[in-house]
Each structure stands twice: as C-alpha cells, then as structure tokens.
Amino acid sequence: MSENELKRTPLNEAHRALGGKMVDFGGWDMPVQYKAGVIEEHLRCRTSSGLFDVSHMGEIWVKGSGAIAFVNRLTTNDVTKLVDGQAHYSALTNEKGGIVDDLLVYRFNEEKLLLVVNAGTTDKDFAWISEHHSEADNCTIENVSDKFCQIAVQGPNALNILQKMTETPLDAISYYHFSEGKVDGIDAIISRTGYTGEDGFEVYAAPQFAEELWNRFLELGGFGDENGILPCGLASRNTLRLEAAMSLYGHELGDDITPYEANLGWITKLAKGDFVGRQALAAQKEAGVSRKLAGFEMTEPGIARDGFDVYVNDEKCGVVTSGSPAPFLKKNIGLAFLPPPLAVVGQEIKIDIRGRQVGAVVVPTPFYKRQK
Amino acid sequence: MSNIPENLRYSKDHEWIAVDGDVATIGITDYAQHSLGDVVYVDLPRVGDKFETHDSFGSVESVKAVSEIFTPLGGEIAEVNDGLNDAPESVNNDPYDSGWMIKMKMANAGEADALLSAKEYEDYLAASE
C-alpha cells in the first residue's frame, strides 16, 4: 500500500511536526516513535506521563431500546451489569467461540452504548455486527469512527494534567468509568481507561479539535521539560501494554483463539444467557483448553519475537505471540501459547531464536503492576 | 542529516569499515542506527569464525525489530566488541567509535577497494531516500 492510500488521523501533521517516524499500521499512517525514542517514551509514561494518538480506533454507536440486549447477544461480558457512565472490556465472538475483536463497551444510558474497537478490525467488526443485526433488535448501529478523535494521556501525572483542562472532577471518575464534559472548552468523553498499565484517561472528541487538544496536553504536561510529558508512538504503546500483559489483537487474540485460551475467562459470562459462541465456549470450559497464554522472561541473552517457537525437552510445544525487551523492567519478556500443564509459573522453556534454543521461564502476569 | 565520516569506507548494507593493513573494523552507520531506533541487544560472532563476503555475521536488535548484519568483506573474526553486551546503546550514541562491532582479518585486502567512499555512500543514501 502506498503512503497516499494510508488512512490518516487528524493528528497526522502534528506527528510529523514532532519528528514522528511514520509507519503503515494496519492501513494507518501512524508514528511508531518520536525523537525521544521508544525507551525514553516508555519510561516517561511510567514515571511521568505519555500522550498517545489513538484516533485510529473505531467507534460504533448502538442506540435504541434493544441496545443492551443486542450487544449482550454479540459479546462475552454481561452488558446488563453496566450502569450509566461505566465501561467494560469485552470480546465479540464467533460461533466457534473465536474472538472477532476485543473491545470496550460504554454505557451512556440504557438506550445508548458506544463500542470502541481496534483500528485494523473496525470494518470487519461493523460488517459482523451488521450481519447479526435486524429490525427486531430495536436498535440502530452506526460506524462513527471518523467522527471521533481519541487521545490517551497515561501515567502518574495524567490526572493532574487533564484536570488543568477540565472542570469535571477527575478523582470522582473511577477506573473503567467515564463522564461527558468539557476539556479545554471542547465537548468530550472523559474515560478513565488505558492500555499502558498506568492510571490515565482516554479523551474522545470531534476530530476537528484533535490538534488543539493534543497541543494543550503537551503544553500543560510540560513537554520539553526534563520530566515532562512525551508524545508516545506505537512502539512504546506496545511495550507498555506488554509489560502490563494486556492482549493485542492479531497476537494474543484472533478469530481462532477463544477467550479461555487467552486468559479472558473473566470477561466470559456464560451465566448471562445466550450469546454468539456461547455453546462452543461452554463446551470448551467443560473439556478444558488445549493451549493457554503464559508470560515468560528470558533467562539467557536473547529477545523472543512474535512467532518464535517454544520448546520443552527438545519438543516443540508452543509459539510466542508477543515478545520484546521490557524497558521499565529491564528484562526480555513475552507471551506464548503453551499446553496448560506447561503454562505454570516456574516452568523452564526454550525459545527458538533463529535456530538457537535460548532459555526462558514462565512467570506470573502482569509482568508490571503499578504501585497504587 | 546523517553523520558520514570522510575517512571510512561504507557498504550498501549501511556498515562502515575502517581499514588498517589487512584488518577491517566494522560497525553500522549513523543512518543505520537511526533507522533501527534504540538498540537493546547485539548478537556477535566468535573470534576465529570465518565469513564470506555478504554473510550474515550477527544481528542488531532494537526494541521493535531485529536486523541482520552482513560482512562487507570476507575473512576471519579477529576481535569482537564485548563492550556491547553491557552497553548496546553505544551503537546509537557512538556508532563510529565505541559502537564498533567486529575486527576482521581480511581474506583479500583488495576487496576493501570496492567499498563505497563517504561521498558515494552519501549519494547512495540520497538516491534511496
């Protein structure tokens, strides 16, 4: 795909002006890192704050008296448990229990839900949702991905920075809750969520205000100061989420991977009633999974990468889904699918790094947990 | 702009080569380290390993990716930079000095003449932009 055909977020110019190194990310022209580099961006987010353009994410409105029942029928988590102003993590599943996408479901009121889905899967998701939708569902579905920008401010200073821009008391918004309010005078959805393992917020607004908001975050976050906010690219977004052992679609999650295999049993509510994939998932829960996601760290020099094979006793037994250096933990870590008997803390494994078997050990996840 | 010292030779794989008699010191260029991003691990061969021209002799890993490094010349490894085990970031911070990777005893010293000059490498970079 040539650069001209890549989709751009409303912050594309801003990224280039900041020296962002632009790459094709699932059809989007996105910054993989800025001038500071991935390690510094990662560390700054853990110790101060990081700013992320996540406008490429997809947004889908579901509105009407049947909205909750409809979304409940397509996703694994129990939408009836949400209250107004609350969001939860969930998965769209297919008939086999495989994950069509992972998503956030926001409840504005009992007739208004917002689904936030991955950028690269937005069209697939909307097609899937449309396919399962009929007039009998008593709700409308609308792909409004290009009507929102989304900016995430994450890290221990995130709340203080955002609080300078809004009269909405941020302390009152609990984790996985949100509020509608003004940010820098602009109508926004302020959501206490993120993908870094830090406290922080994701702010949704109309795309024409993206650059104004972005620049205010940088200014009020002290961008340029020694320990000020840094814009963070996709590379640090990935290492941050991996340290927090959060799943990435296309790596830990996919159409052939079920929530139970991906350690997402906690968002799979079989008792809530029927939903797409429920039967297959109930059967798998009964029978047990044949592979399970496990975290590991390297015990010998080497970096595991996505797709590398895992060996135990010279026998291939699994595959790495994500692997990377962990800049904050200063270890080389990864996630891999392993047979359940091997997916236990302390299990020694070997990662095939370009033909060389390098030692690693299964460790508890998340690798990184912030001090509260 | 990339830093391209005058006194070195270059390969199209973005290595620099400093020739001293029949020994070539080899590292990656400023342009290469910049494209890679933060280097976190450098996998180097052992002293005594023999390579043909354009063999893969190791790899440089950044946070995001791994890149193979290729011998611009044939010969035998005379020395490797063990300092990179503890300080792989030298490849970023000081690519032409403490970021050096291997010293190679050239099988055919004449091979070095075929490498690019600083000017030729600069033109090559400009053309591939």
Side-chain angles (χ1 to χ4, degrees):
Chain A
M1 198 180 275
S2 83
E3 198 178 309
N4 296 334
E5 296 167 62
L6 294 178
K7 286 181 266 191
R8 294 172 171 216
T9 76
L11 292 168
N12 193 275
E13 290 300 319
H15 299 318
R16 290 169 184 275
L18 287 164
K21 197 185 284 184
M22 308 302 283
V23 298
D24 176 354
F25 177 74
W28 289 83
D29 187 43
M30 296 296 287
V32 67
Q33 63 168 70
Y34 301 86
K35 282 179 186 160
V38 48
I39 293 175
E40 191 54 36
E41 291 169 19
H42 181 116
L43 297 177
R44 199 68 66 87
C45 184
R46 290 264 182 263
T47 58
S48 165
S49 59
L51 191 65
F52 302 79
D53 175 19
V54 274
S55 302
H56 55 313
M57 301 288 282
E59 290 87 7
I60 297 166
W61 280 123
V62 183
K63 291 177 184 169
S65 59
I68 289 174
F70 176 66
V71 177
N72 219 23
R73 187 164 64 75
L74 291 188
T75 59
T76 56
N77 211 335
D78 189 350
V79 187
T80 66
K81 292 277 166 34
L82 285 176
V83 298
D84 292 354
Q86 190 183 17
H88 69 199
Y89 183 57
S90 191
L92 283 167
T93 37
N94 58 37
E95 295 292 350
K96 291 177 179 164
I99 300 169
V100 177
D101 201 8
D102 61 330
L103 75 164
L104 292 186
V105 179
Y106 288 86
R107 173 172 157 153
F108 287 74
N109 59 52
E110 60 184 352
E111 299 196 358
K112 186 177 174 190
L113 302 175
L114 183 69
L115 313 183
V116 178
V117 302
N118 283 301
T121 48
T122 304
D123 291 342
K124 178 185 90 161
D125 294 348
F126 192 69
W128 172 262
I129 293 165
S130 303
E131 226 172 88
H132 290 79
H133 177 259
S134 75
E135 261 184 45
D137 288 308
N138 288 317
C139 61
T140 59
I141 53 174
E142 192 186 357
N143 182 353
V144 286
S145 301
D146 57 3
K147 295 196 169 61
F148 283 103
C149 71
Q150 191 194 150
I151 297 172
V153 58
Q154 301 276 301
N157 293 348
L159 186 145
N160 288 339
I161 296 166
L162 181 58
Q163 192 65 79
K164 293 179 198 168
M165 295 164 68
T166 183
E167 285 171 15
T168 301
L170 298 177
D171 265 334
I173 305 175
S174 309
Y175 193 48
Y176 270 80
H177 285 70
F178 66 98
S179 177
E180 291 175 273
K182 300 257 188 205
V183 174
D184 202 33
I186 294 158
D187 287 325
I189 302 163
I190 305 166
S191 170
R192 195 159 193 172
T193 47
Y195 194 50
T196 59
E198 294 304 322
D199 186 18
F201 294 84
E202 294 174 306
V203 176
Y204 301 78
Q208 64 267 31
F209 302 114
E211 202 161 319
E212 185 182 335
L213 284 171
W214 177 263
N215 289 332
R216 284 291 278 171
F217 274 119
L218 290 178
E219 183 191 330
L220 295 171
F223 175 52
D225 298 350
E226 196 178 331
N227 200 32
I229 197 169
L230 275 183
C232 295
L234 294 173
S236 56
R237 182 168 159 83
N238 185 53
T239 51
L240 286 159
R241 72 91 194 168
L242 184 57
E243 280 187 346
M246 292 167 138
S247 293
L248 174 60
Y249 197 82
H251 293 250
E252 287 73 41
L253 312 176
D255 293 305
D256 300 321
I257 300 167
T258 72
Y260 289 122
E261 294 168 331
N263 290 337
L264 296 180
W266 63 280
I267 61 164
T268 307
K269 306 290 167 63
L270 296 179
K272 75 174 182 173
D274 200 26
F275 62 90
V276 177
R278 183 183 179 281
Q279 210 175 347
L281 288 169
Q284 190 181 49
K285 191 178 186 190
E286 181 73 25
V289 295
S290 59
R291 59 177 177 175
K292 193 169 172 288
L293 209 54
F296 65 85
E297 65 180 57
M298 304 303 298
T299 51
E300 295 177 320
I303 300 167
R305 302 285 183 179
D306 315 356
F308 286 8
D309 290 330
V310 182
Y311 286 80
V312 171
N313 296 330
D314 287 327
E315 208 173 312
K316 189 186 151 186
C317 60
V319 65
V320 175
T321 54
S322 293
S324 166
F328 186 80
L329 300 173
K330 299 193 167 41
K331 293 171 178 172
N332 295 322
I333 60 170
L335 294 167
F337 276 115
L338 295 175
L342 300 177
V344 290
V345 171
Q347 172 70 46
E348 291 183 10
I349 57 177
K350 299 276 188 190
I351 311 292
D352 184 335
I353 298 182
R354 295 178 291 280
R356 202 159 43 96
Q357 293 210 355
V358 182
V361 63
V362 174
V363 296
T365 52
F367 305 98
Y368 167 83
K369 205 163 185 184
R370 81 187 152 94
Q371 310 284 322
K372 291 189 188 176
Chain B
M1 255 332 275
S2 277
N3 175 17
I4 306 173
E6 272 297 317
N7 56 335
L8 299 174
R9 309 302 295 262
Y10 297 89
S11 78
K12 290 185 176 176
D13 292 320
H14 306 288
E15 279 113 10
W16 58 262
I17 303 96
V19 179
D20 180 15
D22 64 350
V23 174
T25 304
I26 297 166
I28 65 170
T29 64
D30 185 44
Y31 172 87
Q33 69 78 14
H34 192 74
S35 316
L36 283 169
D38 294 335
V39 171
V40 291
Y41 184 63
V42 184
D43 193 15
L44 294 175
R46 289 191 200 88
V47 171
D49 286 355
K50 292 193 172 79
F51 294 97
E52 306 279 329
T53 306
H54 210 72
D55 279 348
S56 166
F57 72 88
S59 60
V60 183
E61 301 208 35
S62 65
V63 173
K64 196 69 189 151
V66 51
S67 304
E68 282 188 89
I69 24 183
F70 299 95
T71 47
L73 306 154
E76 184 178 325
I77 303 294
E79 200 180 334
V80 300
N81 185 357
D82 292 328
L84 296 180
N85 289 334
D86 292 329
E89 64 275 12
S90 304
V91 174
N92 294 116
N93 300 339
D94 197 14
Y96 296 112
D97 192 2
S98 61
W100 71 275
M101 292 177 176
I102 54 170
K103 290 185 196 289
M104 186 173 234
K105 190 166 187 307
M106 290 183 278
N108 171 11
E111 250 193 305
D113 298 335
L115 295 167
L116 304 178
S117 67
K119 175 77 178 75
E120 286 165 334
Y121 181 62
E122 192 180 338
D123 291 345
Y124 173 71
L125 286 185
S128 52
E129 283 288 283

